[in-house]
Amino acid sequence: MNQRHSPPPPLILASSSTYRRELLERLRLPFTVDVPAIDEAPLAGESPSATALRLAREKARAVAARHPGSLVIGSDQVATLDDGQIGKPGTHAAALDQLRRMRGREVIFHTALCLWDGRTGNCMLEDIRTAVTFRDLPDAELDAYLRIEQPYDCAGSAKNEGLGIAILERIDSSDPTALTGLPLIALTGMLRAAGVTFFQD
């Protein structure tokens, strides 16, 4: 007699990021996207790691409330230099200012990941730390990079999956996908713990 398995719960990515969606597609799992639309401002006195973890959890929780019984993925990234947070620049001028401050320096990127299990209310959280050393490049090169790549929606203006790799000197991380915004090594571990199967005969 064949053993019958219950179908896996729906998988939802709580993000508007095209980068995170493209990364999740690598796992070849069916999923949908729902944008959480939360306030992403850091709290007073909050550490960068705490900000990233809190926002990843809030994103997942907001979407899970609309989709009972689902597995919801939330992620957030905060870049830090000299203990100060570096967000998405939004404009060319702000991005150039960021890159000027970061050139020749090491910047720490905190990429927080949350998997919210709507079946149990359990929330798995992890902060993956990536140390990035920027090349000491002149203003003209930084300006040209920004005009070509326009990474104004990327924390720290470093679009490493594109031409931004040329402004970086070194990347140190336990997960090569963390810097792009969705740590797949950590995520696959969380999904396995939630009963998701990746390989089937």
Side-chain angles (χ1 to χ4, degrees):
M1 184 175 181
N2 293 332
Q3 186 177 6
R4 299 183 66 182
H5 297 280
S6 59
L11 183 64
I12 303 172
L13 176 63
S15 177
S16 61
S17 168
T18 56
Y19 314 120
R20 292 189 177 111
R21 184 169 66 245
E22 289 168 1
L23 284 170
L24 186 54
E25 286 172 350
R26 293 187 191 180
L27 302 185
R28 302 188 181 188
L29 297 171
F31 71 93
T32 57
V33 173
D34 190 354
V35 180
I38 65 166
D39 182 0
E40 298 189 29
L43 301 178
E46 191 174 44
S47 72
S49 177
T51 297
L53 287 166
R54 177 178 60 81
L55 293 178
R57 187 175 189 274
E58 287 187 4
K59 289 176 182 179
R61 180 170 59 182
V63 169
R66 298 197 290 264
H67 302 275
S70 298
L71 287 174
V72 182
I73 301 163
S75 188
D76 192 78
Q77 186 177 77
V78 177
T80 63
L81 178 67
D82 297 331
D83 297 323
Q85 296 194 21
I86 302 171
K88 300 173 183 177
T91 67
H92 182 90
L96 185 57
D97 180 63
Q98 283 185 348
L99 293 179
R100 282 170 173 160
R101 288 188 288 125
M102 295 187 298
R103 60 184 165 196
R105 305 283 305 281
E106 181 181 81
V107 178
I108 304 301
F109 287 77
H110 293 275
T111 307
L113 177 67
C114 174
L115 181 65
W116 190 289
D117 192 335
R119 300 167 299 180
T120 63
N122 182 46
C123 173
M124 288 177 267
L125 272 172
E126 188 172 345
D127 172 20
I128 291 81
R129 181 181 180 275
T130 303
V132 178
T133 303
F134 283 74
R135 294 185 186 277
D136 189 358
L137 300 176
D139 284 5
E141 287 194 42
L142 297 178
D143 183 74
Y145 154 70
L146 291 174
R147 293 188 185 284
I148 295 168
E149 194 66 86
Q150 300 184 10
Y152 308 133
D153 60 345
C154 300
S157 309
K159 193 174 180 181
N160 73 292
E161 67 274 23
L163 188 56
I165 200 72
I167 67 171
L168 306 181
E169 189 171 279
R170 184 181 177 89
I171 299 173
D172 292 306
S173 180
S174 62
D175 191 328
T177 54
L179 186 59
T180 308
L182 189 66
L184 294 183
I185 292 176
L187 178 59
T188 53
M190 290 180 180
L191 289 170
R192 284 181 183 277
V196 174
T197 301
F198 293 93
F199 312 108
Q200 296 183 9
D201 294 334

